[in-house]
Amino acid sequence: MEPMLLNIHHGYNFRDLGGYPTTDGKRIQARRLIRSGSLDRLSQRDIDFLHQYGVRVDVDFRTQDERSAKPDRLPGSARYVFDPVFSEDKTQVSKSWAEEQKAFALDGQAGYHNMLRTYRDIVLSDAAQKAYRQFFDLVLANDKDALLFHCTAGKDRTGMGAVYLLSALGVDEATIRMDYLATNQYMEQAVAEVIAQAKQAGGNANMLQGMHDIWVVYPEYLDAALAAIHETYGSMQQYLSEALALSNRQLTTLRELYLE
């Protein structure tokens, strides 16, 4: 099935996870779990839309520097929760032009390899595991409203949050992979803007490739995360149980709360 894109005018990658089927024949409820990119550019119309959509919890996976530079705009009815996956933005989508130029100008594969390392860190680092555990606590405490979770581009930290959440709810791996890769469809305009800015600033071919690779998702990025999970924990279910400390009872509660 196609992901459910929200009608947001001044933001990108806003998607409702509702409608995805589970392996036991149920579906995720709509208007309950929303993944997105940053909220700093939202218009008042967008803010009103999120209020009417039922968003009452906003979980921000970004770093302190990211949220200070571009604070969320959200409905007054929504509770903001700062839940940083990393102490610094390892995806580098929030880095300055000078920082990106230094990192990528000499090596066209630097961005790609940076992302492969980042995905292993998302899985294995203590900080990331604590952040995603807090995320699940918030999801478990949300019994009727919509909870939105996001980072800067809504694709890496948010993407893995969705991978964990969909896995916990019993969605099959093919659907989870489809949802993850759908980011590329909804990020085309943002990627084009970033590349155009880099060209205008004189970025060389290596730089442009590196910028592209940190602003899109590749199957290999998700594969790097899944490989780290299987190498270290044996399976996704063991990861949820051991790394994120989700009990069988909590997994059952999640499904009771969000499936229909």
Side-chain angles (χ1 to χ4, degrees):
M1 62 168 288
E2 283 290 314
M4 191 186 306
L5 188 67
L6 270 62
N7 185 22
I8 296 295
H9 293 181
H10 296 85
Y12 45 78
N13 216 7
F14 280 70
R15 290 186 264 149
D16 191 328
L17 297 180
Y20 286 150
T22 62
T23 56
D24 61 355
K26 297 183 179 180
R27 290 186 179 273
I28 298 177
Q29 298 174 23
R31 296 189 176 222
R32 298 284 277 119
L33 298 167
I34 316 299
R35 56 171 295 177
S36 80
S38 59
L39 280 65
D40 61 288
R41 299 194 301 176
L42 296 185
S43 65
Q44 187 58 51
R45 177 259 170 214
D46 294 331
I47 292 171
D48 292 342
F49 176 91
L50 291 178
H51 168 74
Q52 293 166 6
Y53 206 77
V55 173
R56 298 296 180 265
V57 183
D58 166 27
V59 184
D60 187 351
F61 289 146
R62 298 177 302 164
T63 65
Q64 178 62 56
D65 287 346
E66 288 174 279
R67 76 163 182 167
S68 295
K70 296 182 177 181
D72 282 1
R73 289 173 51 79
L74 66 157
S77 55
R79 177 166 66 102
Y80 174 82
V81 181
F82 180 51
D83 187 21
V85 170
F86 295 128
S87 60
E88 61 177 336
D89 179 16
K90 296 187 178 185
T91 66
Q92 300 200 42
V93 296
S94 65
K95 296 294 185 184
S96 70
W97 164 252
E99 291 170 321
E100 287 168 336
Q101 187 175 41
K102 182 179 180 181
F104 302 141
L106 299 178
D107 181 3
Q109 292 294 304
Y112 177 81
H113 290 297
N114 172 76
M115 296 306 295
L116 294 177
R117 290 190 299 272
T118 294
Y119 272 79
R120 289 188 64 86
D121 284 344
I122 286 176
V123 168
L124 299 176
S125 75
D126 289 341
Q129 291 179 5
K130 289 176 182 177
Y132 288 119
R133 173 64 233 199
Q134 181 180 352
F135 169 57
F136 272 104
D137 286 339
L138 294 164
V139 173
L140 284 162
N142 179 49
D143 62 353
K144 61 180 179 178
D145 300 313
L147 178 146
L148 180 149
F149 58 103
H150 79 96
C151 52
T152 292
K155 66 184 187 70
D156 304 313
R157 290 163 288 187
T158 299
M160 286 307 298
V163 168
Y164 299 147
L165 183 53
L166 294 174
S167 298
L169 290 171
V171 175
D172 67 274
E173 188 172 324
T175 301
I176 292 171
R177 183 173 291 268
M178 178 277 296
D179 178 75
Y180 172 79
L181 293 173
T183 277
N184 289 335
Q185 177 181 347
Y186 303 121
M187 290 288 291
E188 288 181 353
Q189 181 180 347
V191 173
E193 290 175 0
V194 167
I195 298 302
Q197 291 169 3
K199 283 182 178 178
Q200 187 175 14
N204 64 17
N206 287 339
M207 177 67 191
L208 299 181
Q209 186 63 53
M211 293 284 287
H212 176 270
D213 290 348
I214 65 171
W215 274 89
V216 301
V217 293
Y218 289 117
E220 295 92 336
Y221 296 169
L222 178 57
D223 290 341
L226 295 178
I229 287 170
H230 286 275
E231 289 166 6
T232 309
Y233 294 92
S235 68
M236 177 62 77
Q237 291 308 309
Q238 284 298 110
Y239 182 81
L240 295 175
S241 172
E242 295 179 22
L244 303 188
L246 286 169
S247 67
N248 288 334
R249 178 60 211 164
Q250 287 171 326
L251 291 172
T252 298
T253 299
L254 278 174
R255 297 176 186 189
E256 291 171 347
L257 284 172
Y258 292 99
L259 301 184
E260 60 184 8

